[in-house]
Amino acid sequence: MEPHSSSSLSPRSIVFIGLVALAIAMGIGRFAFTPMMPLMVRDGSLDAVTGTEWATANYVGYLLGAISASWFARSPRRGLQVGLVGVAATTLAMAWGNAALPWVGMALRGSAGVFSAWVLVCASSWCLPELARRHATSLGGWIYTGVGLGIAATGVLTWLGGAQAATVLWVELGLLATVGAVQVMRRLPAQPGAAAASGVAGASRPAASPIASGNLGVVLCYSAFGFGYIIPATFLPTMARQLVSDPLVFGLTWPIFGTAAALSVAFAAHRLHGWSRRKVWAIAQGAMAVGTVLPLLQPALWVLAASAVLVGGTFMVTTMAGLQLARERMPANPTPLLARMTTGFAAGQIAGPLLVRLIGDTRIAGWDALSVASAAAGLLLAITSIWLWREGIGSMSNARSS
């Protein structure tokens, strides 16, 4: 099949490219390790401490990938291709990662983080301007349902195939990523659209105006979001495995998480586009706080399932609302604020697993490391949710009085 020209692609084809690319990059490149970690621990190829270090390496790689994605400013299509190939290759290679050679798994997970960030940035940079050229910007939100769909697909594969060795599952996930990458690259145009190239180049220009006052709170709230969601997003299946050893039971938490993420983004794109971004963010972050602390109240599978729904159903909505708010606050050039928010988010999601690693087997007030980290995450999310809501009310009052 010959590559399409950029002008011949329909809006649905563009959405398909972005959706599948994000499903591979995020569902496999970023989050496949979450349901795989308890299976590797079960097989004896990994211990919990090494697993936490590998998870942290992926988050560090994601930060480095987001920073270096500007390399592809002139050709996001090329970055998309390189990132997808990298995710597929590093996933296949994870079949040889184990605790005996911890640096191998750490390098692979770190590289997967870099590649997945490149795909996320380049898919957005190419797809959104192409949709704008076709006057179909309202379809842009549907691209991000790919994140939840990818998480759900990965979760279903590891759930139904949980009786297999983890090495076999890594190969299957790598083959799935390869098939998806081939489908995306078959549909990509031979040359990147001019609008896409100029859109990315424009996004990489230096700031034309200073950061508006009051944005420190926004950055801190987004940083708290990174810390808060990463605890359940990394350890939910591990928590479930502590209650029951059957992978057909504990593995169900991750498909629930991904399905909730996909459905919530679709709902927000269709129903909440007219709402205040700050209020949407506040509600989502508050619901995430509840989902984060639920496992502390009662150690039961239904509680973990409820946590998966609440956290999975809000983390992508929070992402979209936060970034949209940044654009509202600095419409001329939101890049400086977006960069600070992304950095804070990355730092928060690195701090979560590191906190668990630092506490280790120590108990604080009778709580283990996961419980302490979950409590801290829930508290931060709740405080920032209240701040966002109060600031939203204040902004509305000021707007009315003026």
Side-chain angles (χ1 to χ4, degrees), residues 351-396:
L354 274 181
L355 177 61
V356 175
R357 172 70 178 86
L358 289 173
I359 296 174
D361 296 329
T362 304
R363 287 190 167 268
I364 300 176
W367 283 3
D368 62 11
L370 280 179
S371 298
V372 172
S374 296
L379 180 61
L380 283 175
L381 289 170
I383 291 172
T384 51
S385 172
I386 293 171
W387 184 86
L388 286 165
W389 184 265
R390 292 183 62 182
E391 286 293 304
I393 294 176
S395 298
M396 290 179 62

Side-chain angles (χ1 to χ4, degrees), residues 253-264:
T253 54
W254 202 236
I256 292 174
F257 186 100
T259 302
L263 293 177
S264 65

Side-chain angles (χ1 to χ4, degrees), residues 35-47 94-95 97-99 161-170 241 245 247 250:
M36 288 298 298
M37 179 177 166
L39 298 177
M40 295 180 74
V41 172
R42 176 203 64 187
D43 294 349
S45 61
L46 189 68
D47 57 72
M94 277 298 295
N98 56 67
Q164 302 176 88
T167 53
V168 175
L169 283 169
W170 277 119
R241 186 177 179 270
S245 60
F250 74 74

Side-chain angles (χ1 to χ4, degrees), residues 69-164:
S70 59
W71 294 347
F72 303 104
R74 294 184 178 276
S75 181
R77 172 180 170 273
R78 177 57 56 86
L80 192 54
Q81 292 173 321
V82 172
L84 289 173
V85 171
V87 168
T90 53
T91 304
L92 285 168
M94 277 298 295
W96 290 272
N98 56 67
L101 294 171
W103 62 270
V104 174
M106 186 174 295
L108 289 172
R109 294 309 298 153
S111 299
V114 172
F115 291 131
S116 62
W118 287 353
V119 173
L120 177 65
V121 173
C122 292
S124 300
S125 299
W126 183 81
C127 293
L128 297 181
E130 287 292 337
L131 288 173
R133 289 176 61 197
R134 291 157 177 78
H135 308 288
T137 54
S138 61
L139 298 178
W142 292 96
I143 292 171
Y144 298 98
T145 60
V147 177
L149 291 174
I151 292 173
T154 299
V156 168
L157 179 61
T158 55
W159 172 48
L160 296 179
Q164 302 176 88

Side-chain angles (χ1 to χ4, degrees), residues 51-73:
T52 301
E53 293 171 348
W54 288 9
T56 303
N58 186 257
Y59 308 142
V60 173
Y62 182 78
L63 173 59
L64 296 176
I67 294 172
S68 60
S70 59
W71 294 347
F72 303 104

